[in-house]
Amino acid sequence: MAGRRFAFGATGAVVYGTGVFVAYEATRPKPPLLTCDQRCCKFAELAPQYDREISRDEESSGILAWRKELAAHAKGRVLEVAGGTARNLPYYPDAVHDLVIGDNCEAMLQVAARHVAESRAATTQHCPASVTLAVFDAAKMPFASASFDTVVDTFGICSFEDPVEALREMGRCCRAGGSILLLEHGASSLPPLRWWQDHRLNRHVNSWGCYWNRDIEGLVRESGLKIIQSKSKHFGTTRMLLCEPPA
């Protein structure tokens, strides 16, 4: 009987504590969203410690495994958009012979340059024969149409100022019959978690520079890309899509 009373009491305490926390969060003032320029500064600020900050979480959550799975589909001349610190570099297969990694944050690409140099020096790690790093706006990419066999973007849609236009640019740069490979985080399929993402949006943007509550599949469809395969995990907040450019 005492054990049962303790269990009821503990459950009540948890429910009460949860209610207080939700009420506090619901009424807590939201900070203003960062501007585009401020978000660029945030990415530059994060760059030196970015890999260290997220590596353990990506490994424990299975995201690293999904990076490897996604990169395995790449071949030929590859464009990686929002390539950041080049976290996908170790996973590209031998079928990739020419790789262009772009980002709008020069500080991120400076870290990527170190990774490329380390990869070339390591005899046990494959590195494409040609790797080029370039600073550019994903919504206005400086490449000819249909000039890449594969376009890759991992966790970039959340950070683009104009995600639909960036996706359209990926489609424009990819040749007919090529592949556009996406690994993204966005709005959850679970309503309570989606509410939390919406509620915490401003703080998350201000901490990481990214909008974590975007409708990824909706944005991809709006861009005109053809979704060939889609799967998700983490209650829909992580999504992998294999796409083709518009016909």
Side-chain angles (χ1 to χ4, degrees):
M1 181 67 69
R4 183 177 298 176
R5 284 201 299 270
F6 175 79
F8 283 138
T11 300
V14 170
V15 171
Y16 174 76
T18 301
V20 170
F21 176 73
V22 170
Y24 168 73
E25 277 293 330
T27 57
R28 187 181 178 191
K30 297 179 182 180
L33 281 171
L34 297 182
T35 65
C36 178
D37 289 342
Q38 288 172 330
R39 291 199 308 120
C40 288
C41 291
K42 172 57 68 174
F43 295 137
E45 175 190 324
L46 291 170
Q49 73 273 10
Y50 184 73
D51 290 320
R52 185 168 60 253
E53 289 281 348
I54 71 170
S55 288
R56 183 174 296 178
D57 286 344
E58 284 202 349
E59 185 170 4
S60 62
S61 66
I63 286 176
L64 275 187
W66 270 27
R67 284 186 184 273
K68 295 176 184 178
E69 181 180 340
L70 187 81
H73 293 279
K75 61 183 178 181
R77 188 172 190 234
V78 176
L79 170 63
E80 183 174 343
V81 184
T85 62
R87 292 187 60 77
N88 296 319
L89 183 64
Y91 311 129
Y92 284 115
D94 293 343
V96 175
H97 58 75
D98 185 1
L99 173 63
V100 177
I101 300 176
D103 201 282
N104 70 342
C105 178
E106 185 175 353
M108 287 282 187
L109 291 178
Q110 289 172 350
V111 179
R114 293 201 295 272
H115 289 330
V116 172
E118 291 165 359
S119 179
R120 293 204 182 285
T123 57
T124 57
Q125 185 173 308
H126 167 71
C127 185
S130 172
V131 180
T132 303
L133 304 179
V135 178
F136 58 72
D137 180 354
K140 299 177 182 178
M141 292 195 280
F143 306 108
S145 298
S147 53
F148 292 91
D149 302 296
T150 309
V151 178
V152 178
D153 175 63
T154 55
F155 305 107
I157 291 178
C158 64
S159 65
F160 296 141
E161 201 66 24
D162 188 343
V164 172
E165 190 58 33
L167 287 161
R168 286 173 178 156
E169 276 289 271
M170 293 182 209
R172 180 187 66 78
C173 291
C174 188
R175 67 167 177 80
S179 299
I180 300 165
L181 312 177
L182 306 173
L183 176 57
E184 311 290 345
H185 60 208
S188 173
S189 55
L190 194 66
L193 183 51
R194 191 163 60 248
W195 174 88
W196 177 255
Q197 290 176 294
D198 292 341
H199 177 71
R200 296 284 297 184
L201 176 66
N202 292 34
R203 291 184 176 85
H204 189 79
V205 170
N206 292 1
S207 295
W208 293 97
C210 73
Y211 292 77
W212 66 346
N213 67 339
R214 286 177 168 170
D215 176 7
I216 300 302
E217 280 206 16
L219 292 170
V220 172
R221 294 187 191 283
E222 184 180 348
S223 75
L225 298 184
K226 182 180 179 182
I227 299 175
I228 305 302
Q229 181 182 331
S230 174
K231 62 180 181 178
S232 65
K233 63 194 308 182
H234 307 139
F235 302 107
T237 61
T238 306
R239 191 169 296 275
M240 182 190 297
L241 300 100
L242 308 184
C243 306
E244 291 181 353

